[in-house]
Amino acid sequence: MIAGKKDIRALSKEELRQFFESIGEKPFRGNQVYEWLWAKGVHSFEDMTNVSLEVRQQLEEKFTINHIQVDTLQKSKDGTIKNAVRLHDGLVVESVLIPTKKRTTACVSSQVGCSLDCKFCATARLKRMRNLNPDEIYDQVVAIHRESLLYHDRPLSNIVFMGMGEPLMNYKNVLESIDKITADEGLGMSPKRITLSTSGVPKMIMKLADDGVKFKLAVSLHSAIQETREQIMPFAKSFTLVDLRESLEYWFAKTKSRITYEYVVWKGINDGDVDIDALVKFCKYVPCKVNLIEYNPIDDGEFQQAGNDRIQRYIERLDAHKIPVTVRRSRGKDIDAACGQLANKH
Ligand code: SAH
């Protein structure tokens, strides 16, 4: 970025229209430029061919167009692709393309590093942290959409905010990026195909409900016992299960949208019958489903995936209480692209 110039993609459409008015041009020029910047995704003012040369030069003098750059692209045996994405200030985040039979899902990052401290997650160990801007999140989606067309011959179908970072700690920018992803002038994707995953920030979950969002919500629960949850996710001391539960009840009352609980079962940590009982009880508060995630080891063995018999026990008990449960197998493990493995190792 050149010092003194502002990133034009930080402006809303309305602000762009006002800018054109201020230089004596018709406001609709703002709409045209907005479309070039978002739907068409150009990287230079030169490419805006229906804008006069004079105006393009004026834009050039005042603004820059920041774009992410995919530094490296790694492909897994199972078709998963991981992008290391360089931001305009040199920092790097990762995003992942996950193909299945029916879907292509983009897993995107919302922060460089993470504000939270889950002990089982590699991203939590990265020190450097800043929030991503809306355009940096949007660009990750566009990059994966293009890769999906290129390598899998089909468009992107779903987006999950399950990459690096806690999306609700970057609330405004994440919501702005989703606005752009769903807008006709953006990617025109249905919000129903987007899932925001949070470690559980109660106040922000209530704000989502108040803001009337239309995308889906997933919560990384991992334990329905306060003491256990605090041990593995220390921030849970401030964001307690009681508050979490209340915020989820509020969310459901307002949105009528079922919640997904993400849950890893670890040996000796949350694989006992008391843990299962607590989860079953927690699941009764709000309509939900449980997604049992396979653990992706990140180091020393403090955390180990529980035995299959314990996973089966979880499934049986949830089934018996008519709580939908799915087991999610890891994807892209060989390239460190699976849940909790994103740590800019490359
Ligand atoms: N901060 C958000 C989104 C990022 S994490 C959240 O916590 O939901 C995406 C998912 O991966 C979360 O459910 C997280 O708990 C899970 N996860 C983290 N580390 C993991 C690991 N080592 N193995 C399996 N899942 C992990």
Side-chain angles (χ1 to χ4, degrees):
M1 191 174 66
I2 302 156
K5 286 195 193 182
K6 193 174 166 148
D7 178 13
I8 190 163
R9 295 205 304 163
L11 300 188
S12 66
K13 200 199 303 174
E14 200 37 53
E15 286 167 336
L16 268 179
R17 288 170 61 88
Q18 282 163 10
F19 167 76
F20 279 102
E21 251 187 318
S22 77
I23 60 167
E25 289 281 332
K26 297 239 159 56
F28 85 90
R29 290 269 169 227
N31 300 40
Q32 282 179 328
V33 168
Y34 192 84
E35 205 185 325
W36 281 113
L37 291 172
W38 296 99
K40 295 179 184 151
V42 296
H43 287 219
S44 80
F45 294 110
E46 230 180 286
D47 294 336
M48 301 182 176
T49 45
N50 64 355
V51 179
S52 75
L53 193 61
E54 202 194 324
V55 171
R56 275 188 262 158
Q57 276 164 354
Q58 270 178 300
L59 290 172
E60 192 85 53
E61 276 163 28
K62 286 219 162 55
F63 299 106
T64 129
I65 307 177
N66 287 342
H67 258 281
I68 61 156
Q69 190 188 324
V70 176
D71 256 13
T72 58
L73 181 153
Q74 287 171 276
K75 284 195 208 144
S76 157
K77 290 185 288 218
D78 65 19
T80 301
I81 295 176
K82 181 166 86 170
N83 290 336
V85 167
R86 190 164 295 277
L87 310 171
H88 69 84
D89 56 2
L91 293 175
V92 176
V93 292
E94 294 175 331
S95 28
V96 185
L97 176 162
I98 309 153
T100 61
K101 260 199 197 128
K102 288 192 191 142
R103 301 174 167 188
T104 315
T105 302
C107 174
V108 297
S109 293
S110 56
Q111 297 182 310
V112 185
C114 189
S115 346
L116 300 178
D117 50 9
C118 304
K119 289 198 169 160
F120 46 83
C121 179
T123 307
R125 301 186 178 176
L126 297 177
K127 283 198 194 78
R128 188 80 192 257
M129 207 281 282
R130 79 162 166 85
N131 284 336
L132 294 192
N133 296 325
D135 54 294
E136 292 170 329
I137 299 169
Y138 181 89
D139 286 355
Q140 292 176 63
V141 176
V142 171
I144 290 192
H145 176 58
R146 289 187 181 148
E147 286 165 12
S148 180
L149 291 171
L150 187 63
Y151 298 107
H152 296 281
D153 205 21
R154 56 187 185 188
L156 184 65
S157 64
N158 296 75
I159 302 172
V160 293
F161 281 79
M162 292 187 193
M164 296 172 152
E166 170 48 50
L168 294 189
M169 293 294 209
N170 183 16
Y171 189 92
K172 189 169 157 283
N173 292 351
V174 165
L175 261 68
E176 254 181 72
S177 75
I178 295 176
D179 278 348
K180 298 230 153 71
I181 292 164
T182 51
D184 287 338
E185 292 137 321
L187 294 176
M189 188 177 258
S190 161
K192 294 197 181 74
R193 295 176 172 275
I194 301 174
T195 301
L196 185 151
S197 175
T198 175
S199 311
V201 187
K203 264 193 195 147
M204 291 297 137
I205 291 172
M206 290 169 81
K207 184 158 166 52
L208 284 177
D210 285 338
D211 287 343
V213 300
K214 298 280 183 276
F215 49 80
K216 293 185 180 156
L217 183 65
V219 174
S220 302
L221 190 61
H222 302 310
S223 174
I225 299 173
Q226 178 63 24
E227 214 186 348
T228 307
R229 200 162 187 265
E230 276 177 22
Q231 271 167 23
I232 56 180
M233 305 163 91
F235 69 87
K237 285 190 190 95
S238 338
F239 303 145
T240 65
L241 279 171
V242 174
D243 291 345
L244 181 61
R245 168 194 162 181
E246 276 173 17
S247 71
L248 295 172
E249 285 168 341
Y250 187 82
W251 157 274
F252 188 79
K254 287 221 158 177
T255 65
K256 298 286 176 281
S257 165
R258 179 169 80 161
I259 290 149
T260 300
Y261 294 126
E262 290 157 282
Y263 204 101
V264 179
V265 188
W266 290 285
K267 198 177 273 177
I269 293 177
N270 60 353
D271 61 350
D273 284 347
V274 284
D275 300 287
I276 303 179
D277 289 343
L279 176 62
V280 167
K281 190 172 167 211
F282 198 85
C283 285
K284 301 261 158 120
Y285 298 134
V286 183
C288 65
K289 66 174 181 183
V290 174
N291 201 347
L292 295 175
I293 315 178
E294 191 183 328
Y295 178 56
N296 303 303
I298 55 166
D299 64 357
D300 45 24
E302 187 192 344
F303 289 92
Q304 280 170 36
Q305 164 95 14
N308 265 338
D309 54 325
R310 296 318 297 165
I311 311 267
Q312 275 312 317
R313 181 96 177 130
Y314 261 95
I315 296 172
E316 276 160 28
R317 292 292 312 284
L318 290 165
D319 271 347
H321 287 267
K322 305 220 169 2
I323 300 158
V325 53
T326 50
V327 178
R328 189 165 83 207
R329 295 229 328 276
S330 279
R331 302 290 306 270
K333 251 190 192 173
D334 53 333
I335 53 167
D336 282 329
C339 284
Q341 291 188 315
L342 302 183
N344 292 345
K345 263 201 220 165
H346 206 64

